[in-house]
Amino acid sequence: MMFGYGFRRVACSVLAATALSAVSSFAVTSQFRGVNWADKRDNFVSDVLVLSGMSLSDNYQSASVVADRVIGQFQELFGTNSVRIPVNEPTILKFWDTYTGVIDMGLSKGRIVMGYWGPAQPSGPKNMNDWWSMWAKIVEKYGDHPNAYFEIFNEPHMYSKTELRDLYAQWLSKFPNVPRDHILLDGSGLAWNVPDIADDPRFEGCLFAVHEYTFWNMSITTEQGWKNSFKGKVGKYADRTVCTEWGGAMSPGDKAGVHYDYMDYNSTPTNYFMAYIRGMSDQLREWEMGSFYWPGLRDGDWYSMTKRSGEGANI
């Protein structure tokens, strides 16, 4: 596995900042020290999700082996206790017997957040009956598992504030036995606006999810600028919010016509990536907010904190 050492020193202190603290879920959210594990195509697909290192020929046992090794590496390298994985209708309704191998192994090692990714389209799920069936199947098996968490809709930008609130309220009504502190509600837009959702009394007891990335505003070039941007997305709800996606360059690459070599994130920022990583990690520590770096593993992604070698049982 390959990663930038400078980032490891900065980011792992974020992930492990309060690992030994005995805290309430609603005092801070540092109980989550995690990374995302993603499909190499990204998770916005219309068919079965295939996490990096897996294949459609996997079965429950082989998927368990891959998950054991991948999640074990996350724990060994970064001190994680949580992994965020995607779910969608085809994966749960057609690939369930295999995908549960990943989920079960993950739950045996720590927390698993299952977040819904829709297809890359400007509207909601193609078939709401399938969407509800997907969640019913997940909740039936894992709804009362102490390590299972449910992020109802990743980056729900296709809904207005009112529509999104009503969708979340309907979900809570359909699955009233899921503990509310195991439910994550994304802010409106691309998980940009937590207050849009969090000030609705119907969501008392739930957690909230926020995302922040450099490509949303590359004009911010200072650590304080990124802290201010992040604060604007969270508002006064930091004690109930988890940053389920944030990440930056972990290997050389090009962005907007500019080439970036390896960067030492311990150094004074010379570009927006460095300012972002330092500012974000500092604000997460300050709030004692749990987070999931994007991604811990995604084949071909220059943000990926690890690089995979091998396949299947030899991963």
Side-chain angles (χ1 to χ4, degrees), residues 22-32 111 149 180-182 205-208 237-242 288 290:
V23 295
S24 162
S25 295
F26 301 122
V28 295
T29 57
S30 58
Q31 66 268 34
F32 298 100
R111 296 177 174 87
Y149 293 79
R180 288 208 166 197
D181 61 353
H182 283 235
C206 294
L207 298 174
F208 306 107
Y237 299 100
D239 60 342
R240 291 170 60 191
T241 299
V242 181
E288 299 184 59

Side-chain angles (χ1 to χ4, degrees), residues 103-234:
I103 299 170
D104 291 345
M105 179 57 69
L107 292 172
S108 75
K109 291 178 174 293
R111 296 177 174 87
I112 289 288
V113 171
M114 290 168 263
Y116 172 72
W117 260 262
Q121 59 178 7
S123 59
K126 292 181 178 179
N127 184 312
M128 287 304 296
N129 289 332
D130 286 348
W131 192 78
W132 288 116
S133 295
M134 173 199 71
W135 276 120
K137 197 163 190 173
I138 293 170
V139 169
E140 181 181 16
K141 186 170 179 64
Y142 297 112
D144 59 356
H145 196 292
N147 283 344
Y149 293 79
F150 312 95
E151 190 170 344
I152 294 175
F153 207 117
N154 173 75
E155 298 187 350
H157 61 92
M158 65 288 298
Y159 294 105
S160 70
K161 171 181 172 179
T162 298
E163 290 171 338
L164 185 59
R165 286 184 174 202
D166 288 346
L167 179 67
Y168 287 159
Q170 189 177 2
W171 197 100
L172 294 172
S173 177
K174 281 182 176 288
F175 307 112
N177 295 325
V178 177
R180 288 208 166 197
D181 61 353
H182 283 235
I183 298 168
L184 289 89
L185 309 177
D186 279 40
S188 62
L190 296 172
W192 282 337
N193 194 326
V194 169
D196 265 2
I197 303 304
D199 67 1
D200 190 320
R202 292 178 292 179
F203 308 141
E204 182 178 357
C206 294
L207 298 174
F208 306 107
V210 65
H211 295 174
E212 180 71 291
Y213 282 113
T214 58
F215 46 78
W216 288 333
N217 195 341
M218 291 187 290
S219 66
I220 302 175
T221 57
T222 66
E223 294 176 48
Q224 189 59 52
W226 281 111
K227 292 178 71 171
N228 292 343
S229 175
F230 193 36
K231 288 177 182 178
K233 291 178 172 64
V234 174

Side-chain angles (χ1 to χ4, degrees), residues 25-94:
S25 295
F26 301 122
V28 295
T29 57
S30 58
Q31 66 268 34
F32 298 100
R33 303 190 305 278
V35 294
N36 283 270
W37 182 11
D39 189 308
K40 68 180 180 181
R41 301 167 294 174
D42 206 338
N43 297 330
F44 294 105
V45 296
S46 298
D47 54 0
V48 170
L49 290 152
V50 183
L51 301 181
S52 297
M54 291 185 60
S55 75
L56 289 173
S57 63
D58 276 318
N59 56 30
Y60 180 94
Q61 183 58 38
S62 63
S64 298
V65 170
V66 173
D68 180 43
R69 298 192 178 192
V70 171
I71 296 173
Q73 285 284 280
F74 293 156
Q75 293 175 319
E76 179 182 341
L77 293 171
F78 311 129
T80 60
N81 68 0
S82 309
V83 175
R84 181 172 178 253
I85 62 172
V87 297
N88 67 10
E89 299 92 334
T91 305
I92 301 309
L93 301 179
K94 300 177 182 178

Side-chain angles (χ1 to χ4, degrees), residues 287-315:
W287 275 336
E288 299 184 59
M289 179 182 286
S291 76
F292 291 81
Y293 176 84
W294 179 275
L297 175 62
R298 180 186 169 210
D299 293 345
D301 189 332
W302 69 315
Y303 285 21
S304 188
M305 204 182 273
T306 62
K307 183 176 181 180
R308 176 177 63 86
S309 62
E311 299 283 346
N314 297 315
I315 193 168

